[in-house]
């Protein structure tokens, strides 16, 4: 535990800095949670949701997993989506992938990765859906990047197909589902252009 003591010191310094800059910030933050955004992203430590869109605590409700996958049997992810949509009434759900994703890369090789191979099966399915396009890309690095993009698009579709989002749209709730991708090398986000705002999309 001694080796982690610096983290507590850093936390104290951070909290004091915030309180000095914005007196009463934490007191106000503790009284309510009303974010407009649900972020579904990769668990990769280099892709922290709040930081890369420069929003403070309380502004983004976050769910992260390996390769930002949304699966209809994942009760953890679905519970997050349900709470965000039905209780917090978020207006935007962002599925954010990133280039250089280790999960996507692992899904493309023939190695045995153990338990995670069950999870990577979902990304391998994305490859299977788009095999003709992906197999036509000669450069392995470019093929990997394209699978990162296609994975985002597929997961946006999966979010939109949940009964949670479908029912929200049926009831007239304003809800936008977006697909974004992040490049580690320059810290910039890119909109994949797959925003859905209703049942007709």
């Amino acid at each position: 535990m001694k080796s982690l003591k610096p983290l507590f010191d850093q936390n104290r310094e951070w909290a004091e800095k915030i309180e000095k800059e914005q007196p009463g910030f934490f007191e106000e933050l503790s009284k309510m949670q009303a974010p407009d955004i649900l972020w579904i992203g990769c668990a990769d430590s280099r892709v922290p949701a709040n930081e890369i869109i420069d929003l403070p605590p309380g502004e983004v409700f976050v769910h992260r997993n390996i390769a930002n996958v949304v699966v209809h049997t994942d009760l953890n992810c679905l519970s997050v989506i349900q709470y965000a949509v039905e209780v917090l009434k978020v207006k935007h759900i962002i599925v954010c992938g990133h280039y250089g994703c280790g999960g996507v890369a692992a899904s493309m090789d023939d190695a045995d990765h153990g338990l995670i191979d069950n999870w990577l099966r979902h990304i391998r399915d994305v490859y299977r859906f788009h095999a003709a396009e992906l197999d036509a890309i000669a450069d392995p690095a470019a093929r990997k990047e394209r699978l990162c993009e296609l994975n985002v698009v597929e997961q946006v579709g999966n979010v939109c197909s949940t009964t949670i989002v479908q029912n929200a749209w049926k009831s007239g709730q304003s809800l936008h589902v977006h697909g974004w991708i992040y490049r580690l090398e320059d810290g910039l986000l890119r909109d994949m252009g797959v925003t859905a705002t209703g049942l007709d999309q």
Side-chain angles (χ1 to χ4, degrees):
M1 197 56 192
K2 286 182 181 177
S3 64
L4 297 181
K5 186 181 179 301
L7 298 182
F8 288 95
D9 296 336
Q10 288 167 213
N11 167 252
R12 190 175 301 104
E13 290 170 13
W14 170 77
E16 288 171 357
K17 178 176 178 275
I18 297 290
E19 190 62 26
K20 184 177 180 182
E21 292 172 355
Q22 303 174 61
F25 175 81
F26 292 107
E27 179 63 29
E28 285 302 309
L29 187 65
S30 70
K31 293 176 183 173
M32 61 179 265
Q33 177 176 218
D36 284 335
I37 298 168
L38 165 60
W39 177 283
I40 300 173
C42 184
D44 192 302
S45 62
R46 301 167 294 175
V47 193
N50 281 67
E51 285 86 344
I52 64 177
I53 52 177
D54 196 24
L55 288 177
E59 297 295 320
V60 187
F61 198 59
V62 179
H63 176 78
R64 295 168 70 179
N65 62 43
I66 301 297
N68 44 272
V69 170
V70 177
V71 188
H72 299 297
T73 53
D74 181 357
L75 296 182
N76 184 3
C77 183
L78 293 180
S79 297
V80 170
I81 294 172
Q82 181 178 20
Y83 188 80
V85 171
E86 296 181 5
V87 179
L88 298 177
K89 303 291 186 187
V90 297
K91 294 179 176 58
H92 302 276
I93 298 175
I94 298 166
V95 177
C96 185
H98 68 98
Y99 297 112
C101 179
V104 170
S107 77
M108 296 177 75
D109 65 35
D110 294 324
D112 180 359
H113 304 287
L115 178 65
I116 196 174
D117 282 327
N118 296 285
W119 187 256
L120 298 178
R121 178 78 258 160
H122 302 296
I123 307 168
R124 290 186 179 119
D125 286 342
V126 175
Y127 193 110
R128 183 169 49 83
F129 300 154
H130 302 277
E133 176 187 349
L134 290 164
D135 289 343
I137 301 172
D139 177 37
R143 190 180 313 122
K144 241 176 248 176
E145 288 206 346
R146 184 57 181 150
L147 183 54
C148 290
E149 294 173 346
L150 290 170
N151 185 50
V152 169
V153 174
E154 289 293 331
Q155 305 317 319
V156 167
N158 288 345
V159 170
C160 293
S161 298
T162 63
T163 55
I164 303 153
V165 171
Q166 294 276 308
N167 289 337
W169 281 336
K170 285 175 187 173
S171 71
Q173 186 172 336
S174 176
L175 183 62
H176 300 71
V177 183
H178 313 267
W180 294 0
I181 195 158
Y182 177 73
R183 188 174 294 281
L184 297 167
E185 290 82 0
D186 60 16
L188 297 178
L189 288 163
R190 175 184 164 206
D191 189 339
M192 295 294 299
V194 290
T195 297
T197 60
L199 292 168
D200 58 331
Q201 298 173 335

